[in-house]
Amino acid sequence: MAPPEESRDTGRFATLVGRFAPWLAALGRLTRHQVRFTLLLIGAGWGTLRESLRPNSWRRPVIYEFRATLRQVIGGGFLSIVITATLAGLMVVSQAAYWLGYAGMAQMTGSILVSVLVREISPILVGIILMGRSGMLSLTEIGMMVLGGEVRGLQARGIDPFLVLVMPRTFAFTVGGFTLGMIFAVVSLLMGFVVAHASGAITSSVWTFFFNVLAAMTTWDYLVIPLKFVLVGFFVGLGACISGLTVSSNDTMATIMPRGFARGIMLVLVVNILFMLDF
Amino acid sequence: MAANAPLLELRDAVPSFEESGLMPAPYNLRIMPGECAVIDCRDFERAAMFADLCTGMIPLTQGSIKFMGLDWSTLYDRQLNALRGRIGRISRHGSWLSLFGTHLNIMLPHLYHTTDPFEHVVRRATELGHTFGFPGLPITAPDRLSGADLARAACVRAFMGRPDLLILEDISDMLPEETVLPFFETMTAARDRGCGVLWFVRSSAAWHAYRKAVNIHMRLLDEGLFSLRVV
């Protein structure tokens, strides 16, 4: 006797599902794997902000960790920032002053410098230095602590690793990002002025030069430039800490470092691109 | 917590095998305030896992574990952390952060869980350090200390801050001979004020001198936890 029509349809459907299910599962796994870090970052970012508002979260070891990381971020990155800012200043400011003067558009120097150097290049370079000098260090330290069982040891003593490691370090990176960013902006402009003045491309005084730069800044620039430095610092710090905290037992230094570096670069660029789209 | 309530109580607690590697057998244990339970276990890792189980770090598939009358599985993160802050613990592995000096490692739980003035914490840690044979508090990184000094430091940290429960993994092979008596004395003093003790040992030599003061003697095997007669 032939099977009824309904039963035949169900069988066909089951065969179809059986054929495509592994593909769908693989696609789902890939999607979840790809967005996992983004979702973790959003959740941890929100958690960091929320926890930081509770006075109870800022206990003595947390404050100690914040200070130690801040010292490391600013102290460790200071020289690199000054050197990079000097090189960037030599290149960008002197070139801009020279070519704008050559084109008879010397009055545009301030606005070009604000747009190119301070608003676009500085946050990216500061973010990369922050990540290379301090982010990778945090990533390795926390990753090794997870693999060595020290993070579990902290939990066993009732010490929340998120409060003691992630939150203070993220805020130290945030403050460090702003500080180093401001140092970068000032040093790069100053060094550029020195070279351009020495070569005769700029004849005005340093005060006039800085006055022109400040006059070229819009109200948005006063908001966006510090915000970029702050957000770059926040996400580089958070990304490094979260990447370290989520290492698996299969990970080694050889897998942790490249992954952390790629994520850090991606975060720096994403923050800058988001601002570029909006403003 | 009621005065006559158990301090730590495992009632048919079956740990999740996937998360712990402990056999999914029902574990039963009850420690009253001031009692000392010695658990024979030759395997360090199994002892550490059982210690984690008692501190609510391993999920259960059935049964319950209560500490000071509170079921670990019903508490939120902040409550869990606060409750774990009342446990003094000696661990063999993964308990020292190389980020800080040993002195900060020792004081870290106390500084985190309490608001005691820093000077008091340092004074108390230094006193305990003297008890366990340190000239003061070691400030070098833990990975630069010898095994014996780390064992002393582990004792100082575990006894800091009047814990309600002591979970002591066996460090008798690292603890110097002259520190054994202060260890017993400090443990007895803690028990006298109502602190329970869960003490993992690998051989009878580790607790032989203290056997008369032990209330519970059990053996932790692959198959579960078995009571033994206190000798």
Side-chain angles (χ1 to χ4, degrees):
Chain A
M1 194 176 75
E5 187 72 20
E6 195 179 321
S7 160
R8 237 181 345 204
D9 284 349
T10 314
R12 208 174 296 149
F13 180 71
T15 314
L16 208 65
V17 168
R19 191 174 296 164
F20 286 105
W23 291 96
L24 289 172
L27 190 67
R29 258 197 307 275
L30 185 72
T31 312
R32 273 192 310 163
H33 183 74
Q34 293 303 319
V35 299
R36 182 171 169 264
F37 180 67
T38 310
L39 296 177
L40 268 174
L41 202 73
I42 294 167
W46 170 243
T48 304
L49 291 175
R50 205 185 61 170
E51 288 296 329
S52 69
L53 295 176
R54 298 182 191 208
N56 195 21
S57 298
W58 292 95
R59 303 174 192 203
R60 285 172 288 185
V62 180
I63 295 170
Y64 179 86
E65 185 63 14
F66 172 76
R67 284 184 185 154
T69 311
L70 189 61
R71 236 183 345 258
Q72 198 283 322
V73 167
I74 295 179
F78 181 77
L79 201 61
S80 306
I81 284 288
V82 169
I83 292 170
T84 314
T86 305
L87 295 175
L90 294 181
M91 284 190 306
V92 180
V93 182
S94 59
Q95 288 293 309
Y98 177 78
W99 287 109
L100 287 171
Y102 190 75
M105 298 165 71
Q107 75 280 6
M108 293 285 289
T109 309
S111 63
I112 294 281
L113 288 180
V114 168
S115 307
V116 177
L117 186 64
V118 182
R119 205 171 60 194
E120 303 303 336
I121 295 178
S122 302
I124 292 179
L125 290 179
V126 168
I128 289 172
I129 290 170
L130 211 56
M131 188 186 65
R133 292 288 311 201
S134 309
M136 299 306 280
L137 183 68
S138 273
L139 166 74
T140 323
E141 277 177 352
I142 297 178
M144 288 293 117
M145 279 167 63
V146 172
L147 293 177
E150 285 94 341
V151 168
R152 193 173 171 82
L154 280 177
Q155 286 173 315
R157 285 173 179 77
I159 299 171
D160 189 344
F162 189 83
L163 282 190
V164 168
L165 296 174
V166 179
M167 190 185 79
R169 286 182 183 228
T170 302
F171 277 104
F173 272 84
T174 308
V175 176
F178 176 78
T179 312
L180 293 178
M182 288 301 159
I183 293 171
F184 187 99
V186 171
V187 170
S188 59
L189 288 172
L190 192 64
M191 290 314 292
F193 168 81
V194 168
V195 172
H197 195 266
S199 65
I202 294 177
T203 50
S204 58
S205 71
V206 67
W207 305 114
T208 313
F209 172 74
F210 272 103
F211 179 79
N212 288 339
V213 170
L214 289 176
M217 285 175 68
T218 62
T219 314
W220 273 118
D221 286 330
Y222 281 104
L223 184 71
V224 167
I225 292 168
L227 200 60
K228 264 191 176 182
F229 290 135
V230 164
L231 285 181
V232 162
F234 182 84
F235 281 109
V236 166
L238 186 66
C241 293
I242 292 297
S243 296
L245 212 54
T246 52
V247 298
S248 69
S249 53
N250 300 326
D251 278 317
T252 60
M253 287 288 277
T255 58
I256 295 172
M257 299 281 276
R259 191 168 60 220
F261 183 79
R263 285 175 176 175
I265 290 283
M266 187 192 71
L267 287 170
V268 171
L269 292 179
V270 164
V271 168
N272 282 282
I273 287 167
L274 283 178
F275 275 96
M276 205 184 289
L277 293 176
D278 285 344
F279 303 102
Chain B
M1 197 183 105
N4 56 353
L7 188 66
L8 178 70
E9 187 179 29
L10 281 75
R11 193 178 285 178
D12 292 327
V14 179
S16 158
F17 178 71
E18 288 77 23
E19 302 226 9
S20 68
L22 284 171
M23 279 294 282
Y27 291 86
N28 286 288
L29 173 68
R30 173 188 281 206
I31 299 177
M32 301 298 285
E35 278 190 341
C36 176
V38 164
I39 297 187
D40 270 332
C41 181
R42 294 193 182 280
D43 185 350
F44 286 132
E45 288 187 10
R46 194 187 303 146
M49 275 298 166
F50 189 74
D52 281 352
L53 180 73
C54 293
T55 53
M57 292 184 66
I58 292 171
L60 303 179
T61 52
Q62 66 183 67
S64 67
I65 303 178
K66 288 182 180 174
F67 174 53
M68 299 180 81
L70 298 167
D71 192 333
W72 289 116
S73 63
T74 61
L75 302 176
Y76 296 109
D77 279 351
R78 281 182 172 254
Q79 296 165 315
L80 282 173
N81 288 332
L83 208 56
R84 283 183 194 136
R86 309 191 75 153
I87 298 173
R89 186 165 168 178
I90 291 179
S91 315
R92 279 192 74 94
H93 296 296
S95 60
W96 299 103
L97 302 179
S98 51
L99 300 177
F100 310 125
T102 310
H103 62 306
L104 274 176
N105 268 283
I106 288 171
M107 297 186 294
L108 194 71
H110 202 75
L111 292 173
Y112 183 86
H113 289 291
T114 72
T115 53
D116 287 355
F118 186 73
E119 295 73 27
H120 289 190
V121 181
V122 173
R123 194 166 56 235
R124 179 69 187 131
T126 311
E127 282 168 9
L128 272 170
H130 286 308
T131 307
F132 285 99
F134 280 127
L137 274 180
I139 57 167
T140 50
D143 48 9
R144 293 191 176 188
L145 288 187
S146 66
D149 283 343
L150 275 183
R152 293 176 210 263
C155 293
V156 175
R157 181 170 61 182
F159 290 109
M160 277 281 292
R162 302 173 66 87
D164 290 296
L165 176 68
L166 285 164
I167 297 183
L168 313 172
E169 289 176 37
D170 192 0
I171 50 166
S172 56
D173 55 333
M174 298 192 288
L175 205 61
E177 188 72 34
E178 69 273 13
T179 318
V180 174
L181 188 62
F183 175 75
F184 290 155
E185 284 172 353
T186 316
M187 189 159 67
T188 307
R191 290 177 61 189
D192 287 345
R193 55 166 182 76
C195 173
V197 179
L198 183 61
W199 185 10
F200 295 92
V201 295
R202 277 186 308 158
S203 67
S204 57
W207 65 290
H208 189 257
Y210 198 72
R211 70 189 185 285
K212 283 183 181 166
V214 169
N215 307 100
I216 302 164
H217 183 203
M218 301 184 105
R219 180 162 289 160
L220 180 64
L221 298 171
D222 247 351
E223 298 78 17
L225 194 60
F226 300 96
S227 284
L228 299 172
R229 193 165 56 90
V230 181
V231 184

